Amino acid sequence: MMEDIKLTKLASCAGCGAKVGAGVLAKLLEGIRVREDPNLLVGFDKSDDASVYRVSPELALVQTVDFFPPIDDDPYTFGAIAAANALSDVYAMGGEPKLALNIMAVPEDLPREAVHAILRGGYDKVYEAGALITGGHSILDPEPKYGLAVTGFVHPEKLLTNSGAKPGDVLFYTKPLGTGVMTTAQRADLLPEGAIGRVQEMMMTLNRSARDIMVNYRIHACTDVTGFGMLGHLVEMATGSDVEIHLHVDGVAFYDEASELAQMGILPAGMYRNRNFAEHHVEPGNTPLHLQDLLYDPQTSGGLLIAADPADAEALWEALQGAVPCPQRVGTVQAYRGGKRIFLHND
């Protein structure tokens, strides 16, 4: 029976918490030659969400791939979250998803109904995005995994990257933080009944609305917050843009139970990897340790982190109200003065 399946028990880690740490990944890519092509606008040598290749003066392809082990025991929910997470990389570049390919690894004895439900969850999210699933690839594996390779379109001159933030920009974010802590607690049966429901809903929510709104304004940089945590992605944005970022922690929304769980030490392994990568760039100020931990917490299918021109900040803020799951005004971008890149303010 599908009700008896506990997908998360079949994997050693969950969701984007399974990602190779940013520091380790950078070392793995060292020495690999990057081929030059004037039409390759964003390649793997950039710490960005997807690759972008210009096809014509008015069209560029956005391509990404993302998959991970189960983040939820319910097969349909797992499939929907994995698909929403993969589609998000295209939205973060300002693009529109068009085509997707399934990537799946399943245990040989996983019931057919469960495999079907995972795929159905993915299909439903892709079709909600207005895209098509056109095939894919599957293998047998003792640990289940699912995700998508996604192709989208963007105008080359409207492409967004995570490295274009400018001094004066205002930072916005669109979902609560704490999915890693919450799902870790769920795996350990430490969450009160019903607490995981809002987290699941948020992870299944596409970043389509946020993308559709932000492209109407002057946006200088964007990224989605996933496995490297809020601070890991902020470090990439600040370093790539050669700026410093001031994060107002009191403006960041966390899931209700996440703060208490973090204080109890219920933290995913990915949080420690993210801290090791990013902390030498971060000035924590008087921010309590448990809030720092939540800012390093690896997110699965997180929201969009948007750096907007200050002249458009108020209009964008108004447009986000009621249109995205959890609009937040979280910080500002300033000129780099040397030393730390990220400054936490906990007023």
Side-chain angles (χ1 to χ4, degrees), residues 58 117 186 188 233 236 254 305:
E58 297 184 350
Q186 181 195 27
H233 288 284
E236 290 187 334
F254 302 99
L305 180 64

Side-chain angles (χ1 to χ4, degrees), residues 1 11 45 49 115 138 141 180 211 224 271 280 299 338 341:
M1 297 289 292
D45 55 320
D49 297 298
V115 176
S138 59
D141 190 326
R211 179 267 174 201
D224 62 337
M271 189 284 297
H280 64 285
Q299 304 303 287
R341 290 281 185 181

Side-chain angles (χ1 to χ4, degrees), residues 22 92 132 140 161 166 168 187 236 277 288-289 305 308 310 341 344:
L132 298 171
L140 296 176
T161 72
K166 299 179 180 180
R187 284 161 61 92
E236 290 187 334
F277 162 69
L289 180 60
L305 180 64
R341 290 281 185 181
L344 305 187

Side-chain angles (χ1 to χ4, degrees), residues 88 91-92 171-177 198 201-203 205-214 219 222-225 230 251-255 299 301-307 316-317 319-330:
S88 183
Y91 292 132
L171 292 176
F172 298 93
Y173 188 57
T174 64
K175 289 185 180 181
L177 288 180
R198 184 164 184 254
E201 179 185 352
M202 289 288 177
M203 289 190 291
T205 299
L206 297 177
N207 283 322
R208 181 179 185 175
S209 293
R211 179 267 174 201
D212 289 349
I213 289 170
M214 73 176 179
I219 306 303
C222 184
T223 188
D224 62 337
V225 175
M230 172 70 84
V252 178
F254 302 99
Y255 290 104
Q299 304 303 287
S301 192
L304 295 189
L305 180 64
I306 304 165
L316 175 60
W317 177 239
L320 291 173
Q321 304 304 311
V324 301
C326 185
Q328 301 149 67
R329 190 168 183 159
V330 297

Side-chain angles (χ1 to χ4, degrees), residues 279-287 340-345:
E279 66 179 346
H280 64 285
H281 294 290
V282 178
E283 173 50 60
N286 65 348
T287 304
K340 304 289 187 180
R341 290 281 185 181
I342 310 297
F343 295 81
L344 305 187
H345 302 274

Side-chain angles (χ1 to χ4, degrees), residues 107-293:
E108 194 167 6
D109 58 351
L110 192 66
R112 176 184 176 279
E113 294 80 8
V115 176
H116 178 81
I118 293 170
L119 291 170
R120 185 164 50 86
Y123 271 73
D124 283 353
K125 282 296 153 185
V126 169
Y127 294 149
E128 181 184 336
L132 298 171
I133 288 183
T134 59
H137 186 68
S138 59
I139 63 169
L140 296 176
D141 190 326
E143 289 197 6
K145 302 170 185 70
Y146 177 68
L148 300 170
V150 185
T151 298
F153 295 163
V154 70
H155 193 291
E157 295 181 1
K158 297 180 180 179
L159 164 68
L160 297 175
T161 72
N162 67 359
S163 58
K166 299 179 180 180
D169 283 353
V170 180
L171 292 176
F172 298 93
Y173 188 57
T174 64
K175 289 185 180 181
L177 288 180
T179 62
V181 167
M182 295 290 283
T183 54
T184 297
Q186 181 195 27
R187 284 161 61 92
D189 297 321
L190 293 175
L191 279 184
E193 186 174 353
I196 200 64
R198 184 164 184 254
V199 184
Q200 294 169 334
E201 179 185 352
M202 289 288 177
M203 289 190 291
M204 287 191 287
T205 299
L206 297 177
N207 283 322
R208 181 179 185 175
S209 293
R211 179 267 174 201
D212 289 349
I213 289 170
M214 73 176 179
V215 296
N216 295 310
Y217 299 92
R218 284 169 288 184
I219 306 303
H220 295 148
C222 184
T223 188
D224 62 337
V225 175
T226 54
F228 299 155
M230 172 70 84
L231 288 177
H233 288 284
L234 280 173
V235 166
E236 290 187 334
M237 181 179 286
T239 303
S241 305
D242 195 25
V243 296
E244 64 183 45
I245 289 174
H246 292 254
L247 183 70
H248 299 287
V249 180
D250 55 330
V252 178
F254 302 99
Y255 290 104
D256 291 341
E257 296 84 1
S259 181
E260 181 179 354
L261 290 166
Q263 290 183 72
M264 293 168 57
I266 310 301
L267 301 166
M271 189 284 297
Y272 298 98
R273 292 195 297 269
N274 292 339
R275 181 184 282 276
N276 288 337
F277 162 69
E279 66 179 346
H280 64 285
H281 294 290
V282 178
E283 173 50 60
N286 65 348
T287 304
L289 180 60
H290 72 280
L291 293 182
Q292 294 180 48
D293 289 342

